[in-house]
Amino acid sequence: MPRKPNILGFLFSLFFLTFCHADPGSNCPKTSPLVNSESEFKMVQHQLRGSIKIIDDCSFKVSDFDMLPGSDVHWWGATAPDFTNLSAGFVVSDQKLNETYKSASFTVRLRDNVTWDRIQVLAVWDLPTASDFGHVILGDFRSGSSDPAPSPSPSSATGSGNGTGRVHTEPTMLENCKVLSKNYRVRWTLNSDENIIDIGLEAATGTMNYMAFGWSSPNSTSELMLGADVAVTGFKEDGMPFVNDFYITKYSECTLYKDGEVKGVCPDTRYEGPGQNSEVNNTKLVYGQRRDAVSFIRYQRPLISDDKKYDLPVNHTEKMTVIWALGPIRPPDLLQPHYLPQNHGGPRLVVFGHLVLNVSEHVNDCLGPLDAEDKEDQHLIIADANAPLVVTSGPALHYPNPPNPSKVLYINKKEAPMLRVERGVPVKFSIQAGHDVALYITSDPLGGNATLRNVTETIYAGGPKAQGVQSSPMELVWQPDRNTPDQVYYQSLYEQKMGYRVQVVDGGLPDMYNNSVILDDQQVTLFWTLSEKSISIAVRGEKKSGFLAIGFGRGMVNSYAYVGWIDNIGKGRVNTYWIDGKDASSVHPTNENLTYVRCRSENGIITFEFTRPLNPSCGKSDRPECRNIIDRTTPLKVIWAMGSTWTDEHLSEQNMHFVTSSRPIRVLLMRGSAEAEQDLQPVLAVHGFMMFLAWGMLLPGGIMAARYLKHVKGDGWYKIHVYLQYSGLVIVLLALLFAVAELRGFYVSSLHVKFGITAIFLACIQPVNAFLRPKRPAHGEEVSSKRILWEYFHVIGGRCAFVVGIAALFSGMKHLGDRYDGENVHGLNWALIIWFLIGALIVMYLEYREKQARRDRSFGRSNWVLGNLEEDDSVDLLSPNGVHAEKESQTSGRMEVQLEPLNR
């Protein structure tokens, strides 16, 4: 039989459903002191904006909520906003926030077991990455204290003069918002009672780009920029925001002319001089941040300024024409101390434009957050198999994924950079972060030993033993393979969120080129492969820039430059230049024979490649590039530079670099290594002096003693000859050892080394030859063929050693000039030439005297041989007078002379 309906149960179910689907706060008590309190979210990342109002003990209302999506985002409660407490927080609502929010308003109900007294900080939290998108400190409501984050001034927080009466406590929140272009917005809050307007400029643009906004002169009709009063904002190289008051007098970069007049897009202070900064700069920086590749800078300016010369009055009750622009900015240098905007270029209404605006009218047409295409702002380091990555630790200044501990990892002096590695290429880490930091490569984005959080992770390299200090670094080698995921993380085993991401890509430049070195300041990497007649080169920057350049030379002046950049249509270009000065007019385009040219930009990192001949084929042409010869045996001096913009048309000062190498690097092409340019090393200077002492004085002195001192009684000539020759040989060997020890190796690559080895070899043969000398024949005996052969070998060997030694001295001077560009090398060469010319004149004079003496004596000839203590080698077998002349001689030194009358 069918059962009867349970009327009582039906009524109970109906009552339960009605209660559960009613307004979340309709039956919730309002006992918390936070009820009806309002506050605004502090933006941390993902462009989160909005405000909350606590309705009752169970729920709160969110208004004007903007946010970019995350992976698994929840409402989060914590007891304090620091890293430790936020990481130990808890989910407070079952609602998930895994979508993009655009000015949304909704009500959120707390979980049943959560009460307001447990929540000191209400945050928007991404669980997988432990990321704080933004938060509200509820403790402010209880204590009346303010958020320690930067806030706008009290005068601008009231919104007076706008009619809304709403209080804004966060610097990213302003009353009005106007869309200027797809990626550029202006926000403002008017406070006419205090003659102030707060302006916030917000753009999805590059790190080294400016944002400009201001009022056009009422007298301008078509030329809206001329006479305009604008504020130029941006970020410095260290990430700090700035704002400056500009006045436009000409469509050009700010220029100081020879007559002292300043024209162009110039700061007000540039017109008045450095002593008037406080009087004419009427912009005041309030706050600045860069999140998710979106720049936001808030500043104040007076509506009516005391500066009547360069500031325009803003009538807040009338419509006025405003102008705006985005573009690259030029940092200060030795010639000018300001950040100067460059030509914005690009299409109208995208990177520049104008509109009519009444600042007293309430406007808000900004729907949702700005969403940059490339949200990765962090430094990118591309690993190289030949260069270790130096891992240290330091203070957290701009960590990309807050919250984070106070100490984070640095790689090659960059804070928590993104690391890119290539499969199949070994990566070396030189770990110097301290014994409390153990590096490891993990699949877990947080690190800190995921097993302690009951989370599984895969460890690819490192572990507890991967720790070291600067004095005793630990080397870790990791080689990603085909099974390594596209993204892993380098972290500390003992602390969460000290590292960042590792991108794993397929093989690239290190696999394509045989050699690579990191140039000065670790900002540029040079790759190359040598072939018989050409060299293939690749250059990769390690930071974002508009162009990347390298030069062959000791400095910018008198260098051959190669510049890679992306033009206006997105095409990679590589141009060659000869630079003979320090201004733009000294950069002369050349026509080098480059092949296999490629240039690309990835996340603002420029890489370009080319192949060129070692010796340009120019024939008899005297073009500058014809002198750009690369000798594979000579160190190649390389410098680099980066800048904002480049062009292949007329170059100007705006194309100058904003960062450059501090000194050249000497690249040893054959050895595949590099060393910094430096002054002449003392040991090498001693090497050169010792070689000159041996080959320029002692050894030729010994030769001359054997040649011209035979007339000295006894064996004095022999002792002088032996002592000088052996002393010179010892000094040569010592000088050789000094050079080998200083250069840490013995490399037969340069012409100087080849000459030196040959000369030392010939010199070392001479004492061996002297030891094997055949015995002198007795009186009246015929000279043996062995004796004659020995005479020839000894004399010719000695002469060859001397000649090659002189060649080694001169090639050493050339090597000194090539290696160190010594200013005195030319003078030293002339001194060396004069020294040997004087020696040659002395030898010529002594030879003349010797011939004169031969005419005046009937026998006793000089001999250029080694002697010994037992014999007097007065017979010169190599004498031009012949070997069969009179042989009789007395060992006592006496001679018999027979006198005969002239006429018989």
Side-chain angles (χ1 to χ4, degrees):
M1 295 180 60
R3 297 180 58 184
K4 296 181 179 180
N6 189 340
I7 302 298
L8 185 60
F10 173 77
L11 293 176
F12 178 80
S13 300
L14 181 63
F15 172 78
F16 177 80
L17 291 174
T18 303
F19 174 80
C20 291
H21 287 81
D23 185 0
S26 60
N27 295 310
C28 190
K30 300 180 179 182
T31 59
S32 173
L34 299 176
V35 172
N36 295 325
S37 59
E38 297 183 58
S39 187
E40 294 172 337
F41 284 99
K42 175 185 177 181
M43 180 194 297
V44 179
Q45 51 185 319
H46 281 246
Q47 297 301 299
L48 186 144
R49 278 189 177 91
S51 62
I52 70 164
K53 178 179 180 180
I54 297 180
I55 301 174
D56 50 37
D57 292 355
C58 308
S59 58
F60 60 95
K61 184 177 181 180
V62 181
S63 302
D64 301 323
F65 188 67
D66 290 347
M67 190 191 76
L68 296 175
S71 53
D72 188 11
V73 186
H74 295 262
W75 295 103
W76 191 260
T79 57
D82 59 275
F83 169 66
T84 302
N85 285 286
L86 272 176
S87 300
F90 52 94
V91 176
V92 301
S93 173
D94 293 331
Q95 179 183 1
K96 293 186 177 182
L97 304 170
N98 298 331
E99 59 183 272
T100 300
Y101 289 86
K102 300 179 178 180
S103 303
S105 296
F106 50 89
T107 300
V108 180
R109 183 175 179 84
L110 301 179
R111 284 181 171 179
D112 294 339
N113 60 342
V114 176
T115 57
W116 288 117
D117 57 353
R118 295 179 55 197
I119 306 174
Q120 301 294 318
V121 177
L122 180 65
V124 178
W125 188 264
D126 188 66
L127 284 177
T129 59
S131 301
D132 178 18
F133 289 2
H135 61 260
V136 173
I137 302 179
L138 303 181
D140 291 354
F141 303 147
R142 299 185 178 94
S143 62
S145 62
S146 61
D147 191 342
S151 300
S153 61
S155 63
S156 66
T158 61
S160 175
N162 234 10
T164 64
R166 180 174 179 175
V167 176
H168 289 290
T169 59
E170 287 299 322
T172 56
M173 301 287 290
L174 293 101
E175 289 296 321
N176 306 280
C177 184
K178 181 69 177 176
V179 174
L180 302 178
S181 71
K182 177 183 177 182
N183 294 319
Y184 191 18
R185 298 172 177 179
V186 58
R187 301 176 184 266
W188 75 94
T189 294
L190 176 66
N191 190 346
S192 57
D193 296 340
E194 297 190 17
N195 190 39
I196 287 176
I197 182 171
D198 274 68
I199 299 175
L201 301 182
E202 181 182 36
T205 186
T207 308
M208 294 303 298
N209 284 1
Y210 69 86
M211 301 178 292
F213 179 84
W215 276 262
S216 177
S217 173
N219 301 324
S220 299
T221 55
S222 59
E223 304 293 337
L224 297 179
M225 283 184 60
L226 295 180
D229 174 21
V230 300
V232 175
T233 68
F235 289 88
K236 303 177 182 179
E237 290 93 332
D238 59 0
M240 298 302 295
F242 73 88
V243 60
N244 211 342
D245 197 359
F246 275 65
Y247 185 70
I248 302 176
T249 56
K250 187 179 179 182
Y251 285 102
S252 68
E253 183 180 336
C254 185
T255 304
L256 175 63
Y257 293 89
K258 294 182 179 180
D259 58 0
E261 186 179 10
V262 177
K263 286 186 178 181
V265 183
C266 301
D268 293 0
T269 54
R270 191 70 185 272
Y271 293 108
E272 291 296 308
Q276 308 295 326
N277 288 1
S278 59
E279 298 180 10
V280 296
N281 185 10
N282 293 292
T283 56
K284 176 185 176 183
L285 179 67
V286 176
Y287 177 71
Q289 70 173 29
R290 184 166 173 84
R291 302 283 190 270
D292 315 300
V294 175
S295 298
F296 176 84
I297 294 181
R298 177 171 177 167
Y299 65 94
Q300 285 182 351
R301 64 152 291 168
L303 295 172
I304 300 177
S305 171
D306 294 334
D307 177 15
K308 308 299 182 183
K309 193 173 182 180
Y310 305 112
D311 285 358
L312 298 176
V314 178
N315 190 336
H316 65 279
T317 61
E318 294 184 359
K319 293 183 176 180
M320 299 184 68
T321 301
V322 296
I323 60 174
W324 56 270
L326 295 169
I329 197 162
R330 177 184 173 187
D333 54 34
L334 296 177
L335 300 179
Q336 55 88 21
H338 302 282
Y339 285 85
L340 299 181
Q342 308 295 289
N343 190 338
H344 45 69
R348 184 175 175 272
L349 300 181
V350 176
V351 295
F352 73 99
H354 68 276
L355 69 151
V356 177
L357 189 66
N358 185 340
V359 295
S360 63
E361 295 179 356
H362 179 65
V363 178
N364 188 4
D365 58 5
C366 303
L367 181 64
L370 283 178
D371 191 0
E373 294 182 3
D374 179 14
K375 298 180 179 60
E376 188 56 62
D377 251 354
Q378 205 65 4
H379 288 295
L380 174 65
I381 291 182
I382 301 175
D384 183 353
N386 298 323
L389 302 173
V390 180
V391 181
T392 57
S393 59
L397 303 176
H398 304 287
Y399 189 77
N401 182 27
N404 51 271
S406 58
K407 184 173 73 170
V408 297
L409 294 176
Y410 283 64
I411 296 182
N412 289 355
K413 300 181 180 180
K414 294 180 175 62
E415 178 187 358
M418 176 178 287
L419 182 61
R420 179 175 298 165
V421 300
E422 298 170 348
R423 292 182 175 90
V425 179
V427 182
K428 288 183 181 179
F429 296 91
S430 178
I431 305 172
Q432 309 172 16
H435 294 302
D436 59 340
V437 177
L439 181 73
Y440 78 126
I441 310 298
T442 174
S443 60
D444 181 50
L446 306 183
N449 196 348
T451 57
L452 300 178
R453 307 190 312 273
N454 295 323
V455 177
T456 59
E457 68 176 340
T458 302
I459 298 177
Y460 300 94
K465 296 182 179 180
Q467 53 182 278
V469 294
Q470 186 173 6
S471 59
S472 179
M474 191 274 182
E475 185 177 280
L476 173 66
V477 179
W478 168 50
Q479 181 169 325
D481 55 29
R482 58 182 300 180
N483 297 321
T484 306
D486 291 340
Q487 181 166 285
V488 292
Y489 304 85
Y490 64 94
Q491 295 286 0
S492 169
L493 189 64
Y494 305 133
E495 179 76 62
Q496 294 183 22
K497 298 182 74 174
M498 287 188 68
Y500 198 50
R501 301 176 187 169
V502 181
Q503 288 184 347
V504 184
V505 299
D506 292 330
L509 294 178
D511 295 330
M512 296 168 58
Y513 293 87
N514 294 340
N515 308 280
S516 67
V517 295
I518 297 180
L519 300 182
D520 187 47
D521 295 332
Q522 298 183 340
Q523 302 288 339
V524 176
T525 303
L526 177 72
F527 303 84
W528 76 94
T529 296
L530 277 171
S531 60
E532 183 179 357
K533 296 183 179 180
S534 65
I535 181 172
S536 298
I537 294 176
V539 185
R540 183 179 66 203
E542 305 295 345
K543 66 183 296 184
K544 296 181 179 181
S545 63
F547 72 83
L548 173 63
I550 62 167
F552 297 160
R554 196 168 187 266
M556 180 179 70
V557 180
N558 295 329
S559 67
Y560 298 93
Y562 302 82
V563 182
W565 85 101
I566 308 299
D567 61 17
N568 293 331
I569 61 175
K571 181 181 178 181
R573 307 285 296 275
V574 178
N575 276 19
T576 61
Y577 300 90
W578 160 250
I579 303 176
D580 58 5
K582 294 187 176 181
D583 55 4
S585 62
S586 302
V587 182
H588 310 289
T590 58
N591 188 25
E592 291 197 28
N593 182 23
L594 302 186
T595 56
Y596 303 103
V597 178
R598 291 189 295 178
C599 181
R600 63 183 182 274
S601 178
E602 187 173 5
N603 295 329
I605 302 296
I606 291 181
T607 301
F608 66 89
E609 305 171 64
F610 62 89
T611 299
R612 54 148 291 177
L614 295 174
N615 193 352
S617 301
C618 295
K620 298 182 180 180
S621 175
D622 59 350
R623 291 177 296 160
E625 60 266 29
C626 297
R627 299 188 298 271
N628 187 11
I629 299 173
I630 295 180
D631 182 0
R632 64 175 66 217
T633 64
T634 302
L636 181 65
K637 300 177 183 66
V638 183
I639 57 176
W640 61 264
M642 297 182 189
S644 302
T645 59
W646 195 261
T647 178
D648 58 351
E649 298 176 354
H650 179 67
L651 295 173
S652 64
E653 298 299 326
Q654 70 178 359
N655 301 119
M656 300 299 286
H657 52 70
F658 61 71
V659 61
T660 183
S661 53
S662 57
R663 58 181 177 176
I665 291 293
R666 300 175 62 256
V667 179
L668 308 177
L669 299 175
M670 298 288 289
R671 292 167 53 185
S673 61
E675 57 187 25
E677 181 78 357
Q678 56 190 345
D679 295 329
L680 178 61
Q681 300 171 3
V683 175
L684 295 182
V686 173
H687 164 82
F689 175 78
M690 293 175 69
M691 286 298 187
F692 168 75
L693 182 63
W695 293 107
M697 300 177 68
L698 297 178
L699 294 176
I703 294 173
M704 294 173 67
R707 177 69 175 171
Y708 304 113
L709 295 183
K710 289 290 185 64
H711 64 277
V712 178
K713 184 177 180 180
D715 59 351
W717 70 271
Y718 172 77
K719 292 181 178 180
I720 295 174
H721 173 77
V722 172
Y723 292 158
L724 289 179
Q725 298 299 89
Y726 278 106
S727 298
L729 184 58
V730 169
I731 290 176
V732 165
L733 295 177
L734 287 175
L736 173 65
L737 291 178
F738 285 164
V740 171
E742 182 63 25
L743 298 177
R744 299 180 182 179
F746 191 78
Y747 305 99
V748 188
S749 56
S750 68
L751 185 64
H752 170 65
V753 176
K754 293 175 181 177
F755 273 135
I757 292 175
T758 305
I760 293 173
F761 175 76
L762 293 175
C764 291
I765 287 178
Q766 292 303 93
V768 177
N769 183 32
F771 179 77
L772 300 176
R773 179 181 54 179
K775 186 178 179 181
R776 177 182 177 273
H779 294 296
E781 291 183 3
E782 186 179 357
V783 181
S784 66
S785 59
K786 291 184 178 179
R787 177 76 182 193
I788 297 175
L789 182 62
W790 175 85
E791 288 275 357
Y792 276 105
F793 187 87
H794 186 67
V795 172
I796 294 174
R799 290 174 178 176
C800 291
F802 176 72
V803 171
V804 178
I806 300 306
L809 285 179
F810 281 101
S811 62
M813 297 301 294
K814 181 181 182 299
H815 191 64
L816 176 66
D818 294 339
R819 186 182 180 95
Y820 297 105
D821 282 334
E823 298 178 357
N824 300 322
V825 171
H826 188 67
L828 292 175
N829 272 323
W830 275 109
L832 200 60
I833 292 173
I834 293 172
W835 173 264
F836 285 110
L837 285 177
I838 293 173
L841 291 174
I842 294 174
V843 170
M844 292 171 63
Y845 172 75
L846 293 176
E847 284 292 322
Y848 172 77
R849 291 290 304 270
E850 186 71 16
K851 289 183 178 180
Q852 288 293 105
R854 285 173 181 167
R855 292 194 187 101
D856 297 336
R857 63 192 182 190
S858 60
F859 61 93
R861 302 168 181 81
S862 60
N863 189 18
W864 195 357
V865 295
L866 291 175
N868 56 40
L869 297 178
E870 290 77 29
E871 62 179 335
D872 180 10
D873 286 312
S874 59
V875 178
D876 189 354
L877 300 179
L878 302 181
S879 172
N881 296 329
V883 298
H884 299 294
E886 291 276 295
K887 298 180 180 180
E888 291 84 8
S889 63
Q890 304 295 331
T891 57
S892 62
R894 295 176 298 165
M895 296 184 294
E896 294 182 1
V897 179
Q898 180 177 356
L899 300 178
E900 297 182 358
L902 295 176
N903 297 311
R904 296 191 178 181

